[in-house]
Amino acid sequence: MIPSDQQQSAPHEGLRERRRRRTRADLHATTLRLARDLGFARVTVDMICKEVGVSPRTFFNYFPSKEAALFALPGSLPPALADRFAGGQGQDTDAVLRDLGDVLADHLREGVPGPQELEDTLRIAEGVPSVLATFLAQCEAVERDLAGTIARRTGTPPDGEAAELLAGIAMATLRSGLKRWSQARDHRDGPAECVRDSFTALRALLGPAAVR
Amino acid sequence: MIPSDQQQSAPHEGLRERRRRRTRADLHATTLRLARDLGFARVTVDMICKEVGVSPRTFFNYFPSKEAALFALPGSLPPALADRFAGGQGQDTDAVLRDLGDVLADHLREGVPGPQELEDTLRIAEGVPSVLATFLAQCEAVERDLAGTIARRTGTPPDGEAAELLAGIAMATLRSGLKRWSQARDHRDGPAECVRDSFTALRALLGPAAVR
């Protein structure tokens, strides 16, 4: 069942959501630590579960594999955020990009690996084909889901080129924002703020004011 | 020395360019065939060179590694095309995207692997981390070079967000066009035409006419 916005913001849902987020973060941090200590090939799901104190069944509620747990980037928009975006006002490109920037920034507040953590993960990924393949597949799935949600908002076909292009533009903007965040010296702004800034820059670039 | 448009279109340059293109295609096709027959790990640069009848020195003029030869996707814009784009008229976003679509389509006429060839390459890549890593690094390098060329055209900083976002948008549009081409049943249009169509769709989406 898809939770509605109302259920999502009820007090006990807030608690459950926080607990979910913490378990997910624990599973990821433990996978990364074990991979650093033992080498990723020797890490097993059972090992991760024992350290965190959850059952394998619980593990697989969060991640489909140890590869996915190693990356733990924010995945597709959760149903409540996707619904909020799909039901938003305005089907023109600027309104769609404005609201996409908002929901993606909110989504990132759920937690993004820190720069050092991301660097460690990428170093491990370089030597393990399954991790790199999982990462690529994750990125593709997120972009495909996003195209479907954009199609719902704009009333266009889910496999249509308009939704696909907008999803591609959004992912490029997201990457640009995260890159700027990870390269910033002070990290005063969080990833969500940097991504929001990139969407603002994008809309300025595409709007009528873009003519120099 | 960067060859100018004039040199590029001189008769003997045309011949040299055609020969270069054929050698590159031979090196790639041979790498792919050997990888299919022997497994990628057992293929060596010497083996590829012996089959094609060139020296390793020549091989490394075309590809930095056997991994790169396996993919052989069109790389960064050659200097003549980059110069043509950078010197084009109009710095507004629409003019930049229009001309980007043109040069990228022209670039693709140089040759793109066929759908079956691409599928074989991806199947090999899934099992070999170095191939996947090379592919990702290639995509990043192409996008970074493109941002630099866009910055030259628009007179903005090469590491600025405007050039980076436009490069990201162009790469997303390129991917969308190539995907549509590889999924088309009849393959009546070539990859260059499909990419050009995607840029037309992009500009319609971003232009004032995008409001439904």
Side-chain angles (χ1 to χ4, degrees):
Chain A
M1 214 180 74
I2 295 170
S4 72
D5 273 325
Q6 286 71 32
Q7 285 176 316
Q8 184 83 4
S9 57
H12 85 277
E13 277 289 333
L15 185 66
R16 191 196 288 177
E17 202 41 59
R18 271 204 300 281
R19 208 169 49 207
R20 266 192 70 81
R21 200 174 304 171
R22 197 159 66 197
T23 306
R24 191 174 191 275
D26 283 351
L27 288 170
H28 163 61
T30 304
T31 308
L32 181 57
R33 180 169 51 78
L34 290 171
R36 264 199 227 109
D37 293 351
L38 309 173
F40 185 71
R42 300 177 62 188
V43 177
T44 65
V45 169
D46 279 341
M47 232 180 249
I48 302 164
C49 291
K50 204 164 283 175
E51 295 264 343
V52 177
V54 299
S55 68
R57 193 193 153 112
T58 299
F59 176 92
F60 288 115
N61 276 335
Y62 289 87
F63 298 109
S65 62
K66 65 173 188 168
E67 282 82 4
L70 183 69
F71 259 102
L73 293 169
S76 293
L77 288 176
L81 280 182
D83 288 349
R84 190 182 93 195
F85 167 73
Q89 294 294 310
Q91 273 88 28
D92 60 290
T93 298
D94 187 62
V96 168
L97 290 176
R98 178 197 62 209
D99 292 355
L100 265 180
D102 283 348
V103 288
L104 287 172
D106 283 354
H107 185 35
L108 290 179
R109 290 187 217 287
E110 194 185 299
V112 173
Q116 181 59 52
E117 205 180 328
L118 206 55
E119 206 183 305
D120 287 351
T121 307
L122 288 171
R123 197 174 311 122
I124 294 169
E126 273 169 21
V128 191
S130 60
V131 172
L132 215 49
T134 300
F135 173 61
L136 280 181
Q138 270 183 7
C139 291
E140 269 176 37
V142 168
E143 189 165 336
R144 204 169 42 238
D145 284 353
L146 196 58
T149 307
I150 291 170
R152 270 208 285 153
R153 162 76 172 253
T154 55
T156 54
D159 58 348
E161 186 147 35
E164 188 172 293
L165 287 172
L166 285 170
I169 292 171
M171 294 295 280
T173 310
L174 182 69
R175 273 191 293 128
S176 178
L178 289 178
K179 187 177 143 200
R180 263 145 224 289
W181 166 67
S182 75
Q183 288 174 348
R185 290 209 177 173
D186 50 6
H187 296 298
R188 233 178 33 190
D189 287 331
E193 286 69 37
C194 290
V195 166
R196 195 185 292 269
D197 287 349
S198 288
F199 271 87
T200 304
L202 172 76
R203 289 171 60 217
L205 196 62
L206 302 183
V211 184
R212 291 170 82 224
Chain B
M1 214 180 78
I2 295 170
S4 71
D5 274 323
Q6 287 68 31
Q7 285 176 315
Q8 185 83 3
S9 57
H12 84 277
E13 276 290 331
L15 186 66
R16 190 197 289 178
E17 201 42 56
R18 271 203 301 282
R19 209 169 50 207
R20 265 193 70 82
R21 200 174 303 172
R22 195 159 70 199
T23 306
R24 191 173 191 275
D26 283 351
L27 288 170
H28 163 60
T30 304
T31 308
L32 182 56
R33 181 169 52 78
L34 290 171
R36 267 200 225 107
D37 293 350
L38 310 174
F40 185 71
R42 299 177 61 189
V43 177
T44 65
V45 169
D46 279 340
M47 233 180 247
I48 302 164
C49 291
K50 205 165 284 180
E51 295 264 342
V52 177
V54 299
S55 68
R57 193 192 153 113
T58 299
F59 176 93
F60 289 115
N61 276 335
Y62 289 87
F63 297 110
S65 62
K66 63 173 188 167
E67 283 81 4
L70 183 69
F71 260 102
L73 293 169
S76 293
L77 289 176
L81 280 181
D83 287 349
R84 191 182 93 195
F85 167 73
Q89 292 296 308
Q91 272 88 28
D92 58 292
T93 297
D94 186 61
V96 168
L97 290 176
R98 177 196 65 207
D99 292 353
L100 265 180
D102 284 348
V103 288
L104 288 172
D106 283 354
H107 185 36
L108 289 179
R109 290 187 218 286
E110 193 184 301
V112 173
Q116 181 60 51
E117 205 180 326
L118 206 54
E119 206 183 306
D120 288 351
T121 306
L122 289 171
R123 197 175 310 123
I124 294 169
E126 273 169 21
V128 190
S130 60
V131 173
L132 216 49
T134 299
F135 173 62
L136 281 181
Q138 270 183 6
C139 291
E140 267 175 39
V142 167
E143 189 164 335
R144 202 170 43 237
D145 284 353
L146 195 59
T149 307
I150 292 169
R152 269 209 285 154
R153 162 76 172 252
T154 55
T156 54
D159 58 347
E161 186 147 37
E164 187 173 293
L165 287 171
L166 285 169
I169 292 171
M171 294 296 280
T173 310
L174 183 69
R175 275 192 293 130
S176 179
L178 289 178
K179 187 178 145 199
R180 264 145 223 288
W181 166 67
S182 75
Q183 287 174 347
R185 289 205 180 177
D186 50 7
H187 296 298
R188 232 178 31 189
D189 286 332
E193 286 69 37
C194 290
V195 166
R196 195 185 292 270
D197 287 350
S198 288
F199 270 87
T200 304
L202 172 76
R203 289 170 59 215
L205 196 63
L206 302 182
V211 184
R212 291 170 80 225

